Amino acid sequence: MISTLIPEEIYSIPRLGTLAVHDSLLPAYRGFAPLNWAILKGETQTGVTLFKLSKEMDAGDIVKQRVVEIGADDTADIVYERICKATCDVVAEALIEIKAGESSSSPQTESMATYTCARNPKDGL
């Protein structure tokens, strides 16, 4: 999978900005495969972040977040199912708030940012 940053001239077209979803509680685990890395690192929770796209990778203002638990015996598939449910909930809630003019966002705390890298098959062992 090739991942690229969306150019500003694209994401700045919508009047209210462009939102994206990331499978972590940003600013933690910015980058590739955050769900997998959270499990590999022994985290007990991860989450979903709805955020505004910006020039930097996964660094835009946070619109909404949801915590997702990671059990000791959970596989990536199990956590992914929880992530998908949380993503649907977060996006639906945000759309209602945006439509009502009640949406807000807050900047990420840059000093708390952590980054992941692409994983390879050996990482799964």
Side-chain angles (χ1 to χ4, degrees):
M1 180 173 134
I2 297 173
S3 203
T4 63
L5 293 176
I6 297 172
E8 184 175 11
E9 50 273 4
I10 302 294
Y11 71 75
S12 64
I13 292 172
R15 179 176 54 85
L16 299 176
T18 300
L19 301 179
V21 175
H22 190 71
D23 295 349
S24 78
L25 296 172
L26 290 173
Y29 291 97
R30 290 178 180 172
F32 299 94
L35 180 154
N36 300 84
W37 284 115
I39 293 169
L40 288 167
K41 298 286 187 179
E43 302 287 356
T44 57
Q45 56 182 215
T46 186
V48 172
T49 302
L50 182 67
F51 68 103
K52 293 182 177 183
L53 288 183
S54 66
K55 290 181 183 180
E56 303 297 322
M57 178 180 60
D58 302 329
D61 290 354
I62 294 172
V63 174
K64 202 168 229 10
Q65 291 186 307
R66 180 72 42 88
V67 171
V68 173
E69 300 297 325
I70 301 173
D73 297 321
D74 286 348
T75 64
D77 287 341
I78 291 169
V79 179
Y80 182 70
E81 285 181 31
R82 291 183 194 133
I83 290 283
C84 288
K85 166 88 170 83
T87 297
C88 291
D89 293 344
V90 163
V91 170
E93 290 168 14
L95 289 174
I96 291 167
E97 292 170 6
I98 291 166
K99 185 175 180 183
E102 299 171 354
S103 180
S104 63
S105 62
S106 57
Q108 295 186 38
T109 305
E110 199 60 34
S111 63
M112 302 293 289
T114 59
Y115 295 85
T116 63
C117 59
R119 59 181 293 281
N120 63 57
K122 284 193 257 180
D123 295 321
L125 298 176

